[in-house]
Amino acid sequence: MVNTRSKIKKIQNTINLWFSKAAMADNNHLATESGALIGSNDDLLIEILLRLPVTSVLRFKSVSNSLYIPFDDENESIPPFRNLDFYPDPHGIRILQSCNGLLLCRSNEEDERVHKYYVFNPTTKQFAVIPSILGGMAVRKTIIFMALAFHQTDCVHYKVVCFYFPEPDDVIKVQIYSSETGKWKISDDYMSLPDCYIDYIVFWNQAIHWYQFDDKSYFKLDTEEFQSLPSEDFENWEMTLYFGESRGHLHLVERVDPRESRLQLNVFEMLNDHSGWFLKYRVDLDELPDAYPEMINSYFDPLSLGYYIFDVFDVVRGEHEEEEEETFMVIRVPGKVIR
């Protein structure tokens, strides 16, 4: 997973060649050199992307689109969704979370008390409207976040997990909705309100995980208990760029201290028993600013965190564990999403 200048040039050549072939397939009168023209036209690129299978989109080397939705979907015959108009919600619909091919969506009303939640399958175009949680308006206004739990190899049904803090209690409680029963239930366990903001909601290993790590860091669905993740390896939270799951692996990506004058990332993986993290990859991005100088913020000191402008969208593990070359990282720099 180390980028070099030659690899970046090879990637860019592959992009142009691929789009050239795609253009010839749609319009056989187009010449192969039109790939470069297509590659420079964002609107045309988007139209091509919208017509491709989900797995093909994941294999792209570069996408001029800042919206990234991770999918672990092996169905090559079904095109990805083109929009979120599956339900006539007058306020519009936004994506909250993706989980193994399903999307948890929410209406765009400003008032939390009247939000509607949906689970949408973009490959089958099927959706379900999730009923309101128990407790009425007074409880709905205290929702912190909703999380989707689904893994088709374990169960064909999904669960939606609601974290909320019912007044006047100074704790977080949980309600769980099952698509099998079509009902919500209130869990007995609870946790104190954390000192930090909860972000990066991830379903992995039959549990809902979140970042930042505090006294409690995940909720086990089988036992309906709050548990803690080891956090002693991560003292500087500003260095953490990503927390997510791919093909059964939980990852955390942190930036190596910029004072070392290197643009490097550490990719940690969690042990399956939640007992600790280990360093899985070290990613060298030193060649990236040469290829994408727009990611350099010259107003900052080169040894500061703000000098390089980029985000880590995803760590995608290969289908075959022994083939490390299949694993890649998705990064956004200004104006582009790159592999």
Side-chain angles (χ1 to χ4, degrees):
M1 292 182 65
V2 177
N3 282 326
T4 64
R5 184 175 302 179
S6 62
K7 285 186 177 181
I8 292 173
K9 289 182 179 179
K10 183 178 179 181
I11 285 172
Q12 293 170 331
N13 291 336
T14 304
I15 298 168
N16 290 336
L17 177 61
W18 188 93
F19 281 119
S20 176
K21 291 180 178 178
M24 292 177 64
D26 285 344
N27 302 281
N28 54 20
H29 65 279
L30 292 178
T32 57
E33 57 266 21
S34 63
L37 177 62
I38 296 173
S40 63
N41 188 321
D42 285 354
D43 292 334
L44 189 53
L45 281 178
I46 292 172
E47 287 302 311
I48 293 175
L49 298 180
L50 290 173
R51 288 166 171 76
L52 291 172
V54 172
T55 311
S56 297
V57 176
L58 275 180
R59 291 172 180 165
F60 276 173
K61 308 299 190 294
S62 177
V63 180
S64 296
N65 187 342
S66 61
L67 176 62
Y68 178 82
I69 304 296
F71 280 97
D72 284 339
D73 194 330
E74 302 304 323
N75 192 334
E76 302 251 3
S77 63
I78 305 296
F81 65 97
R82 302 185 65 173
N83 49 49
L84 291 175
D85 61 358
F86 58 83
Y87 186 84
D89 194 306
H91 298 278
I93 296 173
R94 59 174 295 193
I95 298 172
L96 297 181
Q97 179 195 359
S98 66
C99 186
N100 295 308
L102 296 184
L103 299 179
L104 177 63
C105 304
R106 193 200 72 188
S107 59
N108 264 335
E109 293 103 333
E110 294 183 2
D111 190 346
E112 180 68 58
R113 295 173 297 178
V114 294
H115 279 163
K116 291 182 180 179
Y117 291 87
Y118 312 90
V119 173
F120 175 51
N121 187 332
T123 60
T124 65
K125 306 302 188 290
Q126 294 178 316
F127 71 95
V129 180
I130 305 302
S132 297
I133 64 173
L134 305 175
M137 288 282 192
V139 174
R140 288 205 292 272
K141 72 177 184 179
T142 67
I143 292 175
I144 301 175
F145 65 85
M146 293 274 201
L148 181 62
F150 172 70
H151 201 296
Q152 195 169 17
T153 58
D154 298 331
C155 181
V156 296
H157 298 283
Y158 60 84
K159 293 181 179 180
V160 178
V161 187
C162 175
F163 295 78
Y164 64 103
F165 57 102
E167 299 175 348
D169 300 334
D170 194 25
V171 297
I172 293 178
K173 300 199 70 173
V174 173
Q175 292 190 30
I176 304 171
Y177 171 83
S178 170
S179 64
E180 183 174 15
T181 64
K183 297 180 180 179
W184 288 96
K185 62 168 292 190
I186 300 176
S187 175
D188 293 330
D189 201 10
Y190 59 89
M191 63 174 280
S192 301
L193 285 173
D195 295 330
C196 54
Y197 179 72
I198 293 177
D199 202 359
Y200 293 107
I201 312 304
V202 180
F203 174 66
W204 174 73
N205 204 8
Q206 295 301 314
I208 302 294
H209 303 74
W210 56 88
Y211 168 88
Q212 296 179 9
F213 308 139
D214 199 42
D215 180 45
K216 303 294 183 184
S217 304
Y218 67 98
F219 181 79
K220 293 191 64 177
L221 287 174
D222 54 352
T223 61
E224 297 186 11
E225 294 177 321
F226 286 96
Q227 300 288 340
S228 298
L229 280 178
S231 60
E232 58 272 9
D233 294 327
F234 312 107
E235 296 181 357
N236 192 342
W237 299 110
E238 291 182 350
M239 299 293 186
T240 303
L241 302 177
Y242 169 83
F243 180 62
E245 180 271 346
S246 177
R247 296 191 184 276
H249 304 274
L250 184 66
H251 302 117
L252 184 144
V253 178
E254 71 168 9
R255 170 93 181 267
V256 174
D257 194 331
R259 289 174 295 184
E260 295 184 11
S261 301
R262 302 293 303 275
L263 183 53
Q264 290 183 332
L265 307 178
N266 288 332
V267 180
F268 292 91
E269 182 176 336
M270 171 59 66
L271 296 169
N272 284 333
D273 61 359
H274 288 91
S275 62
W277 298 91
F278 64 94
L279 182 62
K280 181 66 177 178
Y281 305 107
R282 172 159 286 186
V283 185
D284 185 355
L285 300 180
D286 280 340
E287 301 289 343
L288 203 59
D290 293 337
Y292 303 101
E294 60 269 26
M295 67 180 292
I296 297 177
N297 188 347
S298 58
Y299 291 100
F300 282 79
D301 185 277
L303 300 184
S304 69
L305 281 174
Y307 185 68
Y308 295 113
I309 306 171
F310 71 100
D311 298 301
V312 177
F313 274 178
D314 204 5
V315 175
V316 182
R317 295 293 286 268
E319 183 177 2
H320 304 98
E321 193 64 30
E322 65 276 6
E323 297 290 340
E324 291 291 349
E325 289 298 321
E326 294 183 359
T327 296
F328 61 91
M329 180 179 288
V330 182
I331 295 178
R332 181 181 68 87
V333 298
K336 292 183 178 66
V337 177
I338 63 173
R339 166 173 167 167

